Amino acid sequence: MKNKKITILGGAGHIGLPLSIVFANKGFDVSILDNNKENLSLAKKGIMPFKEKDGEKNLKKALKRKLKFYSQPSNFISGSTIIITVGTPVDEFLNPDMSQIKNCIDGLIPFLKNGQLIILRSTVYPGTSEWLFNYLNKKKKCHVAFCHERVIQGYTFDEIEKLPQIIAASSKLAQKKATEIFDKISKKIVYCSLNEAEYSKLFSNAFRYSQFAVANEFYMLADKAGLNFNRIREITKQGYPRAEGLPSAGFAAGPCLLKDTMQLLSISRNNFSIGNSSMLVNEGLVLYLIDKLEKKFDLKKKNIG
């Protein structure tokens, strides 16, 4: 391939930094762009700012190759493929907030050239990829692709080359350009439309969130009956393949599962009843446990983490 320059926006974060390291160690000329100067400083020294299996070993290897760090966009992004690892969060009303992506793009536009490929990597609200293509098209004639992250946070280096990479693009040329990049780190490529890829990512996270809600609901039912959910779960799963997917109970940690479920609830105009119920169960588990603790302890005199 001709262009081996990649700029990763949000490249010092949980998604961006491991991806930057992977591409650098595959021979790409990688520029990390992030306004988190603390993370940038640590990464420059070969220190991972967060927990990532084999992170520092791979980071130190990448630093010997082509890995550069920037806190502000400038002409270094011109001509490179740009991967954006900033997604669409939800606001205080659990509705999608598009301002982060728009602000990122507005900051890049003065330095973009016609024909550059912009890849969205984080979860986005359905229709964001098409919006980005149309928004850019009024200012710069850029290509757009959506190639979302699929690894479990903390295990990027174990998973990224094993999992199929989904690629959706605004044109055949954009698809070709994205493929030339990702076929260097993925053994299999799956192609689909932009909207299909956006929904695929949201469905994936909402499915996991719903699975956790089922387990948490079962836990509370068992607990109210004076039974041990973990024991019932092991009895149910033992030698029974159809129950293997039943997870253990616990907090549905990580912001993406709740956020992405709420994005589906928003686009469905509040008709995603399973997602809404999952939110009530998973976020309500905290209150259920507090009620249990209050029966045993005076929480006003306790420090709770």
Side-chain angles (χ1 to χ4, degrees):
M1 59 180 296
K2 293 180 181 179
N3 186 10
K4 299 201 76 173
K5 288 178 61 180
I6 295 176
T7 298
I8 299 186
L9 185 62
H14 288 277
I15 295 175
L17 184 54
L19 184 66
S20 300
I21 293 168
V22 169
F23 277 125
N25 286 332
K26 289 292 182 179
F28 287 87
D29 182 353
V30 180
S31 295
I32 288 175
L33 175 58
D34 203 301
N35 59 12
N36 188 328
K37 294 183 180 180
E38 182 179 352
N39 278 13
L40 288 177
S41 177
L42 289 170
K44 284 180 184 179
K45 298 173 185 175
I47 301 170
M48 288 295 289
F50 42 80
K51 187 176 180 181
E52 184 73 44
K53 185 183 175 186
D54 296 326
E56 292 198 357
K57 179 182 76 174
N58 286 292
L59 172 58
K60 288 172 182 174
K61 182 181 174 184
L63 288 169
K64 295 176 182 177
R65 296 174 181 267
K66 293 184 178 179
L67 193 59
K68 297 184 286 293
F69 302 85
Y70 301 90
S71 59
Q72 293 292 331
S74 60
N75 289 328
F76 73 87
I77 72 171
S78 299
S80 69
T81 295
I82 297 172
I83 301 178
I84 299 175
T85 64
V86 173
T88 45
V90 290
D91 61 20
E92 65 271 29
F93 304 108
L94 300 180
N95 291 315
D97 179 3
M98 297 286 288
S99 63
Q100 282 194 24
I101 281 192
K102 185 178 182 299
N103 290 340
C104 288
I105 293 301
D106 286 342
L108 295 177
I109 284 173
F111 309 102
L112 294 176
K113 291 184 177 179
N114 292 334
Q116 279 186 254
L117 174 64
I118 315 294
I119 297 175
L120 292 170
R121 185 70 173 165
S122 298
T123 312
V124 295
Y125 188 68
T128 299
S129 303
E130 188 174 347
W131 166 84
L132 175 59
F133 176 73
N134 292 329
Y135 185 72
L136 281 171
N137 203 41
K138 298 172 184 176
K139 305 168 189 294
K140 298 284 175 72
K141 306 296 182 182
C142 292
H143 304 288
V144 170
F146 179 56
C147 311
H148 63 74
E149 186 65 80
R150 308 186 80 190
V151 301
I152 294 177
Q153 187 172 302
Y155 294 92
T156 299
F157 303 107
D158 284 348
E159 292 197 348
I160 196 164
E161 295 190 50
K162 297 176 183 177
L163 297 175
Q165 176 62 56
I166 294 174
I167 291 180
S170 58
S171 66
K172 288 292 183 183
L173 180 55
Q175 178 180 291
K176 180 176 180 291
K177 287 175 175 285
T179 301
E180 288 175 348
I181 292 170
F182 282 102
D183 69 3
K184 300 294 186 294
I185 64 171
S186 298
K187 293 180 179 178
K188 183 178 180 181
I189 305 292
V190 178
Y191 298 106
C192 61
S193 71
L194 289 169
N195 223 213
E196 287 172 334
E198 291 168 340
Y199 270 92
S200 168
K201 177 60 176 176
L202 292 172
F203 283 175
S204 176
N205 280 351
F207 177 63
R208 290 183 65 215
Y209 194 64
S210 300
Q211 283 182 304
F212 296 151
V214 170
N216 288 333
E217 188 87 84
F218 285 168
Y219 160 75
M220 288 185 278
L221 287 170
D223 189 65
K224 288 174 183 175
L227 300 171
N228 186 317
F229 168 70
N230 287 329
R231 175 166 165 74
I232 297 171
R233 176 173 170 265
E234 290 305 315
I235 291 168
T236 306
K237 290 177 63 177
Q238 200 168 115
Y240 193 62
R242 286 184 286 281
E244 285 180 356
L246 178 61
S248 58
F251 299 133
C256 290
L257 301 185
L258 168 64
K259 171 181 73 70
D260 294 348
T261 303
M262 292 303 97
Q263 295 204 73
L264 285 173
L265 186 66
S266 176
I267 200 167
S268 70
R269 301 180 71 82
N270 292 337
N271 287 317
F272 182 32
S273 56
I274 291 176
N276 188 57
S277 297
S278 297
M279 181 269 290
L280 295 175
V281 171
N282 287 332
E283 307 311 311
L285 178 64
V286 179
L287 301 177
Y288 180 82
L289 294 178
I290 288 174
D291 288 342
K292 281 174 64 72
L293 288 169
E294 283 181 331
K295 293 175 183 177
K296 294 184 178 182
F297 308 104
D298 181 358
L299 298 186
K300 293 178 181 178
K301 299 178 180 179
K302 298 287 182 182
N303 292 323
I304 300 176

